[in-house]
Structures are given as C-alpha cells and as structure tokens.
Amino acid sequence: MLPDGEWATEVKGLGIDIAPIPRIARLTERYDSETLNLLFTPGEIKRCQSSNHPHRSFAVCYATKEAVGKALGTGLAGIGWNEIEANLTQTTKEGKRENSIYLPPFPLPPFPFAIHLHGDASIQANRCGIQSWLATWCYWDEHVLVHVLAM
Amino acid sequence: MDTSKAMDTLKAILADLGIPKESLHNDTLLHEDLQLDSTEIVEVALGLKRQLGISVKLEGRQDITLAQVCNRIEAVLLANSNSNHVT
C-alpha cells in the first residue's frame, strides 16, 4: 500500500517483474547483437556487455521492459521491446552518481536506475500522462526483480 | 515464402525450445496450448529474426495460433518486399 502523501497521488502506474538470469543469459549467448537489437537497444547491449555482470545486467534490462509494459497498462502489445531502455550505469564504479551525489562504493539493494522510452512506448506514456519513472532492481540467487513507478 | 515454409520455420523454432513436434498444429495456441511464457515468446521472435530477418510482433491481448503467426510472418515479408521495390 502506498503511504499517504501528495506524491502518492502522482503515481500513474506500477510495474514489477522477475526474470531468471540463466534464461536471459541463454538468449544473449545464442544470438548475435544484430538479432538482439530486436529486444535490446544498442546502448543496452553495449552497457551490458561491458558490465562486470553482463548476464545479470541483461536480465534487469529484460525485466524492465516487462515491468514498464505493465505500468503502462498495455503490456507490450503494440510496443517494441527496444522502445523501452534501461540504463543501469547511473552509479559509477567509484560509487558516485553522474550528478556527483556521493553513494557508498558498494550500495545496498535495491539499486536505482534510469528508464528511457522511445517510439510507441513514449507515445503510450504521454497518453497516460507519465512524465518520469522511478525504477529499482535487486537480485537474489539466479533471479532479478525490477520495480517501476510511473509518475 | 509460402505458408508451409513459414510454418516449417516456426515449428523448427518451437521444437528447438523443447516442444514436441506432434503437439504443433495450425490451430495450436501459443499460450493456452503450448504454455509459452513471455521469455519463450521472445525466443520465438528472435528465432524468426535470425532465420528470416524479420521482426514479428507476437505480444498481444489475445492468444494466437501458429497459423496466425504465419499470417503475420507473411504480412511482414510482403511489406518488406514491397518497400524494397519502392525507390
């Protein structure tokens, strides 16, 4: 349940998804980058491949697409997977955000990240009056969980 | 590509996911009959992209049959073919 407060009335949608890391790893290892562009943006592929935990990063990106689809209220019908982009690199390896707010070197979950929408996903978000996203992810065992709030 | 070739490609992709070929028919539904989850649907789409070079949208509010998937494959191939002839 959402706490009382002004911000709670601004929530336009909520989405959550759990993705099994080994299954997403199987996908990303089976297909080349050109084929994976159907699912992930070039930026996501580049960032995930250069991540210290590429399989986990790809799983977060995948779960983000499902979670955003739920928050939009349409699922992914009429929306391309690669029109929903997750950027997990808000926090640098040194534990600093791009906006210079200091975070510990090993932050505890859930981890915040950014969502960017393109094409029909962006159009659908505008229809819903969504102006921004709050997104976090965490993992346990072989799964990732992504939670998004559309504001 | 005719319908039978599209169906053969689709069945090969589904068989690669571990689905018995004897359970694959024209009127077989992806969700209700094959119990495909969202990740498996993605695998089918990626398989079509790799083997046929096309992007076919399989998500929707309604379950679809293998024959309907083939119709979408043919529609995309036709659209691509027409656009290639436009200079």
Side-chain angles (χ1 to χ4, degrees), chain A residues 7-80:
Chain A
W7 71 272
T9 62
E10 297 174 355
V11 174
K12 305 283 198 316
L14 181 153
I16 193 166
D17 194 68
I18 296 172
I21 297 171
R23 290 187 63 190
I24 306 305
R26 179 172 174 264
L27 277 183
T28 55
E29 288 179 350
R30 279 187 90 185
Y31 298 99
D32 58 25
S33 292
E34 185 182 345
T35 305
L36 287 175
N37 276 333
L38 183 68
L39 184 56
F40 301 106
T41 68
E44 284 178 321
I45 293 172
K46 185 179 177 183
R47 288 190 294 271
C48 289
Q49 286 176 338
S50 61
S51 160
N52 290 334
H53 302 282
H55 293 158
R56 187 193 300 165
S57 298
F58 272 119
V60 172
C61 290
Y62 178 83
T64 299
K65 298 165 196 302
E66 297 278 0
V68 168
K70 293 169 187 172
L72 290 173
T74 58
L76 293 174
I79 295 173

Side-chain angles (χ1 to χ4, degrees), chain A residues 15-17 56 60 87-88 90-91 97 103-104 106-114 134-140 143-149:
Chain A
I16 193 166
D17 194 68
R56 187 193 300 165
V60 172
N87 187 341
L88 313 186
Q90 280 182 310
T91 306
R97 281 176 177 269
L103 288 176
F106 302 103
L108 297 171
F111 307 104
F113 66 98
L134 291 177
T136 60
W137 68 275
C138 62
Y139 70 96
W140 74 99
H143 294 78
V144 300
L145 183 148
V146 169
H147 178 250
V148 303
L149 280 178

Side-chain angles (χ1 to χ4, degrees), chain B residues 27-40:
Chain B
D27 60 352
T28 301
L29 289 161
L30 294 183
H31 292 289
E32 185 176 330
D33 297 327
L34 299 181
Q35 302 287 306
L36 296 189
D37 63 19
S38 60
T39 309
E40 288 166 325

Side-chain angles (χ1 to χ4, degrees), chain B residues 57-84:
Chain B
K57 195 72 183 151
L58 299 176
E59 287 76 12
R61 292 182 181 84
Q62 290 188 324
D63 208 354
I64 56 174
T65 65
L66 301 196
Q68 288 171 316
V69 175
C70 289
N71 289 340
R72 292 186 187 186
I73 292 170
E74 289 170 19
V76 172
L77 287 170
L78 182 62
N80 289 353
S81 173
N82 289 340
S83 65
N84 287 339

Side-chain angles (χ1 to χ4, degrees), chain A residues 97-150:
Chain A
R97 281 176 177 269
E98 289 174 352
N99 60 6
S100 299
I101 297 172
Y102 179 78
L103 288 176
F106 302 103
L108 297 171
F111 307 104
F113 66 98
I115 291 174
H116 304 287
L117 302 186
H118 313 280
D120 290 329
S122 178
I123 292 170
Q124 178 63 23
N126 286 337
R127 277 197 201 115
C128 297
I130 297 167
Q131 296 178 329
S132 62
W133 294 86
L134 291 177
T136 60
W137 68 275
C138 62
Y139 70 96
W140 74 99
D141 293 337
E142 304 246 290
H143 294 78
V144 300
L145 183 148
V146 169
H147 178 250
V148 303
L149 280 178

